């Protein structure tokens, strides 16, 4: 199983980026996929996740990104996207996508819930 994260870069505050997480070896629509981020000196925190198709409770967003970030899935491309708008300096971090092998009834907000990880993509927002 491989996850290929891409799309990071440097933007000014207020700008936008779209991250991609292309999967091979697993079908993204059959698994919960999440985006986490890790800023320097901090732990990995969940940003958002999208539940597997048909499981209900489709998406979760951290309060810090609600209304600015959108997670989506393209089954034909087996890819999950993270559209990030109105970026802030505090969004600066390395962003990782993760895929969970098991489906759990709870929200799946911890890094330990995810079995496979992309390599990370750097997002830098200048104020």
């Amino acid at each position: 199983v491989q996850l290929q994260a891409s799309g990071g870069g440097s933007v000014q505050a207020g700008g936008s980026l779209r991250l991609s997480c292309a999967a091979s070896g697993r079908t993204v629509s059959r698994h919960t996929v999440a985006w986490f981020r890790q800023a320097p000196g901090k732990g990995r925190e969940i940003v958002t996740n999208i539940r597997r198709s048909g499981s209900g409770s489709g998406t979760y967003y951290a309060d810090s990104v609600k209304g600015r970030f959108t997670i989506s899935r393209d089954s034909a491309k087996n890819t999950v996207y993270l559209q990030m708008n109105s970026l802030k300096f505090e969004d600066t971090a390395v962003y990782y996508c993760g895929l969970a092998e098991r489906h759990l009834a709870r929200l799946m907000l911890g890094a330990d819930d995810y079995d496979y990880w992309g390599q990370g993509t750097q997002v830098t927002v200048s104020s």
Side-chain angles (χ1 to χ4, degrees):
V1 179
Q2 289 190 332
L3 301 178
Q4 182 70 39
S6 62
S10 297
V11 295
Q12 291 188 331
S16 298
L17 285 172
R18 187 178 79 157
L19 306 184
S20 300
C21 178
S24 60
R26 290 293 183 274
T27 302
V28 295
S29 61
R30 297 177 183 174
H31 296 270
T32 297
V33 177
W35 286 97
F36 283 73
R37 66 186 180 187
Q38 188 164 15
K42 296 187 177 181
R44 193 171 293 194
E45 64 173 3
I46 190 164
V47 176
T48 178
N49 71 17
I50 184 166
R51 310 273 285 179
R52 71 178 189 184
S53 294
S55 65
S57 302
T59 57
Y60 164 87
Y61 294 94
D63 287 344
S64 58
V65 306
K66 278 181 183 176
R68 301 187 297 121
F69 290 12
T70 304
I71 191 170
S72 62
R73 179 171 55 211
D74 185 331
S75 297
K77 295 183 178 180
N78 207 33
T79 298
V80 172
Y81 299 99
L82 178 61
Q83 178 66 44
M84 306 186 294
N85 298 328
S86 302
L87 282 161
K88 302 177 181 180
F89 175 76
E90 49 265 39
D91 294 318
T92 296
V94 178
Y95 284 70
Y96 299 89
C97 58
L99 182 146
E101 190 68 72
R102 299 169 299 157
H103 176 70
L104 303 174
R106 54 181 172 78
L107 290 176
M108 300 178 67
L109 305 183
D112 289 347
D113 291 330
Y114 297 86
D115 302 284
Y116 306 105
W117 293 92
Q119 80 283 12
T121 185
Q122 175 72 46
V123 172
T124 302
V125 184
S126 57
S127 57

